[in-house]
Amino acid sequence: MLKAGKHRYSQDCHYVPQVEYVFGHKTNNKNNKGDVADVQGPQNARPFCQHVLKQESLTDGFNSLMSNFSLPLRLETHTNSMSKCDLKIPDDVLKDIEEYYA
C-alpha cells in the first residue's frame, strides 16, 4: 500500500479509487482570493460522467440508462455459485487498505 500511495497510476491504475474516475482527484490549490481550496474531488466537483451508476442500484440504473438510449441491453440478477471466500487479511494490511481508500 505504501507503493500504491506514491505511484497511484502504476499497475494500470488499479490503485486509483473508483470515485476519481467520476469526480477527479482531490487537490489543494489556491482559489482566486489566494486562499487554499479544494478545487476538485467528491465534495465540490462536477462529475466527468453524465450518467453515474451507483452500486446499490446498479441493475435498475443500468437498465434505465439502456432504455433511455433505446439499447437492447439489460443486467439481470444472478446467484454467485462460488463458495464463500474465507480470505484472512492481517490487521495491519487491512488498516493500510482502509486508510488508503478512506
Side-chain angles (χ1 to χ4, degrees):
M1 291 311 297
L2 293 176
K3 180 181 177 185
K6 294 179 184 176
H7 306 284
R8 66 189 307 119
Y9 300 107
S10 67
Q11 304 297 315
D12 293 327
C13 296
H14 285 7
Y15 297 119
V16 176
Q18 296 296 301
V19 71
E20 287 189 24
Y21 288 101
V22 177
F23 295 103
H25 178 64
K26 184 177 178 181
T27 59
N28 290 326
N29 288 322
K30 290 185 178 181
N31 62 19
N32 59 4
K33 297 178 184 175
D35 300 324
V36 173
D38 291 334
V39 295
Q40 291 179 306
Q43 290 86 5
N44 58 2
R46 196 178 105 188
F48 295 128
C49 307
Q50 292 177 342
H51 308 283
V52 177
L53 301 177
K54 296 186 178 187
Q55 182 69 35
E56 57 270 14
S57 57
L58 182 62
T59 300
D60 290 339
F62 179 85
N63 291 340
S64 177
L65 181 63
M66 295 302 105
S67 179
N68 289 345
F69 285 94
S70 299
L71 295 171
L73 302 170
R74 293 191 55 80
L75 284 180
E76 296 181 8
T77 303
H78 70 280
T79 303
N80 189 348
S81 61
M82 304 273 307
S83 61
K84 182 180 177 187
C85 177
D86 289 325
L87 180 65
K88 305 290 186 222
I89 301 174
D91 289 341
D92 62 323
V93 174
L94 184 59
K95 181 179 179 251
D96 287 344
I97 292 169
E98 289 172 345
E99 286 177 6
Y100 182 79
Y101 287 105

